[in-house]
Amino acid sequence: MPVLQTTSHGAVTDSVRPPEFSRAERVRVLATTAAGSVVVGYAAVAALLALISSTAAHASFSTTGVLTAAAPGWLAAHHVPLRFDGGQLGLLPLLPTALVMLLVYRAAAGTADRLGLFEPLQARSVVFSIAGAHAAVGGVISFLMGDEGPVRATPAVAFFGCAAVSGLAAVAGVAQRCGLVEVVFERVDPVARRGLRTGAVVLFALAAAGALVLALGLALSWSTTASLFDQSGGTIGTGLGIWLLCLAYLPNAVVGALSYVVGAGFSLGPVVVTPLEFTGGAVPAVPLLAALPEQQVAWLPLVLVLPGAVGVLAGFTLRDAAPTPRSRVRAVLVAAITAGVGALVLAAVAGGPLGGGAFDPVTVPAGLLAVLTVAWVAVPGGVVAWFAGPRPPRVVEPAPVLEPAVEDVEDAAEDAAEDAAEDVADDEDYVDDEYDDDEYEDEYADEDLEYVDEDDFDDEAGEEAEEEADDETEDEVPADEDEDRAEPVPDPDLDADLDADPEPDPGSAADSDESDGRDPDDRDSDDRDSDDRDPDLPAEPR
């Protein structure tokens, strides 16, 4: 029944509950898958050789001979170089290798589905079992071929070569089912992820451009192609063999055409073919090579427009990979590097030695091809992605408020202190001026007195002197200011006057005291206080 499965890398999948297998059953399934991929691949090579042997003229067919001849063919399908007495065959066809990898891919994917694998670590059993089986068979075959046979192979090279090819195909088969793709992409940001995908598409586009150029060359040289087929013997077996040979090496020719389109070119012995350089010479009588130009033509450099167009297309594809131009250019660089690495690997496996003959070696310059691929994608793609993509709105930032330095603060404080001191000095001068004005007024007031009439002045002075004398006799100012009120000094004249006064009517005094609501003694004390009080002092509130 359908269940939700949570993997170790965080993915939740809705799939059928995996069946429960015992350890023995699991081992049996893995062994069957590994052995089946080896046997099926070996049987396919043997069947192809049997077909060619049965149709070729003057060829003897035997089951033992076909099975024995299938051993080096199986190694060649795993891209293991073979050695002859005359030299080494390193220029191996890529189509059989691709078919073997496809076979292993499907076998690994089927095993993962059958065992219900969904964890990345669970993929190890499938990959190691298949790669180990192919490596063991390749090592045994190369060992049994020996050093004295007509065809030989190095056991170590065969062991690791078969393990690498089959293991890579097995990883590709279980990557999606066991979550390996998610684990890898979780560690890559979205911009780089877009770059990786675009790089794969760019590599495919460059290969398609190479295939287009190859097909155009074969079409323009169709007469040469037909004549090469006729020269092969004219029989069905021979024609089938030549046709199968061209088909097996067709991916190699596409990689060579890709290198030609990018500008790196390729070489077959002394023959060098590039868009800007051509060195002619004799080539093998293989119909696939009829697409080679016979001489340098002025319009051949126009093929360089194709990689430029692919680069522009890559930049246009990544124009929305990120909101900022820098991030988009980074995505283009990732795509360029991805395409360059892919071109490097294809160039490394597409060429090789060709038996030490006149056409040895067949070279596709891997390093130059990788560099040119990166340049063709990065330069035009980066320009297009920079200008064709959206730009973030420009934010106008306010001018920063610069804080004054410490020295400026100290200078400002000193200036403020000087200004304050000047203000204080001005205030003091102003006060002094006021006092000077008072003195000036006093002086002029004294001068004005001189113009007063002396007789009037004498009369007024005498009157004032008499009034002051009367005031001094009546009142005296307390000598001690610390006391609240000084004791009155008895005056003999005043006492005599008081004694001479008639005594007040007790009844009327009592009536007045009662009317005031106060004690008569209080009234007498108040009267004495009022007489003794300094007239210049303010009256005390009652």
Side-chain angles (χ1 to χ4, degrees):
M1 93 182 176
V3 294
L4 292 177
Q5 298 178 354
T6 303
T7 62
S8 62
H9 53 279
V12 179
T13 58
D14 185 6
S15 61
V16 180
R17 183 184 297 277
E20 297 294 336
F21 288 93
S22 63
R23 186 180 182 85
E25 292 176 345
R26 187 180 296 272
V27 171
R28 180 177 58 83
V29 171
L30 294 175
T32 302
T33 302
S37 62
V38 173
V39 171
V40 171
Y42 196 94
V45 174
L48 183 60
L49 291 177
L51 177 61
I52 295 174
S53 300
S54 62
T55 58
H58 311 289
S60 58
F61 174 79
S62 63
T63 304
T64 304
V66 170
L67 293 177
T68 303
W74 189 83
L75 292 177
H78 286 77
H79 221 76
V80 177
L82 303 175
R83 292 182 287 112
F84 303 93
D85 293 336
Q88 181 179 358
L89 179 61
L91 180 62
L92 299 173
L94 291 178
L95 182 61
T97 304
L99 293 177
V100 168
M101 294 183 71
L102 179 62
L103 174 64
V104 174
Y105 172 88
R106 294 182 62 86
T111 303
D113 289 341
R114 184 177 179 183
L115 296 178
L117 306 180
F118 58 91
E119 290 285 344
L121 294 179
Q122 294 176 346
R124 296 178 300 176
S125 58
V126 178
V127 174
F128 289 160
S129 62
I130 294 177
H134 284 253
V137 172
V140 169
I141 290 176
S142 62
F143 179 77
L144 295 177
M145 290 170 62
D147 295 335
E148 301 296 335
V151 181
R152 300 177 294 274
T154 304
V157 176
F159 181 87
F160 290 106
C162 294
V165 172
S166 59
L168 183 61
V171 169
V174 299
Q176 187 67 32
R177 291 165 176 80
C178 295
L180 296 178
V181 177
E182 288 80 2
V183 170
V184 173
F185 282 134
E186 282 177 358
R187 292 169 171 79
V188 180
D189 60 285
V191 176
R193 194 179 308 166
R194 285 283 303 274
L196 290 173
R197 294 175 178 173
T198 305
V201 174
V202 165
L203 183 61
F204 178 79
L206 291 176
L212 178 62
V213 172
L214 177 63
L216 183 61
L218 290 174
L220 295 177
S221 305
W222 179 251
S223 58
T224 305
T225 303
S227 63
L228 290 175
F229 271 107
D230 295 338
Q231 292 176 6
S232 59
T235 61
I236 297 177
T238 303
L240 180 61
I242 294 296
W243 184 81
L244 291 175
L245 179 66
C246 294
L247 185 62
Y249 278 98
L250 181 61
N252 302 66
V254 171
V255 174
L258 184 154
S259 182
Y260 180 82
V261 167
V262 171
F266 58 91
S267 62
L268 286 80
V271 178
V272 178
V273 181
T274 67
L276 303 177
E277 180 183 0
F278 178 81
T279 303
V283 295
V286 178
L288 192 60
L289 298 178
L292 295 177
E294 297 181 358
Q295 60 183 2
Q296 182 67 20
V297 184
W299 56 267
L300 288 179
L302 294 177
V303 297
L304 297 176
V305 176
L306 296 177
V310 172
V312 171
L313 181 61
F316 189 77
T317 303
L318 296 174
R319 71 188 186 282
D320 57 348
T324 59
R326 291 179 178 271
S327 298
R328 293 195 295 270
V329 171
R330 183 167 66 88
V332 173
L333 291 177
V334 172
I337 293 173
T338 303
V341 171
L344 177 68
V345 173
L346 292 177
V349 299
L354 193 58
F359 312 110
D360 181 58
V362 176
T363 305
V364 179
L368 181 59
L369 174 60
V371 171
L372 292 178
T373 301
V374 172
W376 280 116
V377 178
V379 175
V383 172
V384 173
W386 181 279
F387 291 102
R391 290 181 175 272
R394 181 177 297 178
V395 178
V396 180
E397 297 181 356
V401 179
L402 299 179
E403 297 182 356
V406 177
E407 297 179 355
D408 297 339
V409 174
E410 294 178 354
D411 296 340
E414 293 178 357
D415 296 339
E418 293 177 358
D419 295 339
E422 293 177 358
D423 295 339
V424 171
D426 295 339
D427 294 339
E428 293 178 354
D429 295 340
Y430 178 74
V431 173
D432 295 339
D433 294 339
E434 289 182 350
Y435 284 109
D436 295 340
D437 294 340
D438 295 338
E439 294 177 356
Y440 176 78
E441 293 175 358
D442 293 340
E443 292 178 357
Y444 279 91
D446 294 340
E447 293 178 357
D448 293 338
L449 291 177
E450 296 178 357
Y451 294 97
V452 179
D453 189 2
E454 293 181 357
D455 296 335
D456 296 338
F457 180 76
D458 293 339
D459 295 338
E460 292 177 358
E463 293 177 359
E464 291 178 359
E466 291 176 358
E467 291 177 0
E468 290 179 358
D470 295 338
D471 293 336
E472 290 178 356
T473 58
E474 292 177 359
D475 299 326
E476 291 183 358
V477 178
D480 190 0
E481 294 179 358
D482 296 335
E483 296 179 358
D484 295 338
R485 186 176 300 275
E487 293 294 334
V489 178
D491 189 357
D493 297 335
L494 182 61
D495 293 339
D497 294 338
L498 291 175
D499 293 337
D501 290 339
E503 294 181 359
D505 187 4
S508 62
D511 294 339
S512 62
D513 293 338
E514 289 177 358
S515 63
D516 295 339
R518 293 186 298 175
D519 191 11
D521 295 336
D522 295 336
R523 292 177 55 89
D524 294 339
S525 62
D526 291 341
D527 294 338
R528 287 194 298 269
D529 293 340
S530 62
D531 294 336
D532 297 337
R533 186 179 299 112
D534 188 359
D536 295 334
L537 295 177
E540 291 183 358
R542 293 184 180 274

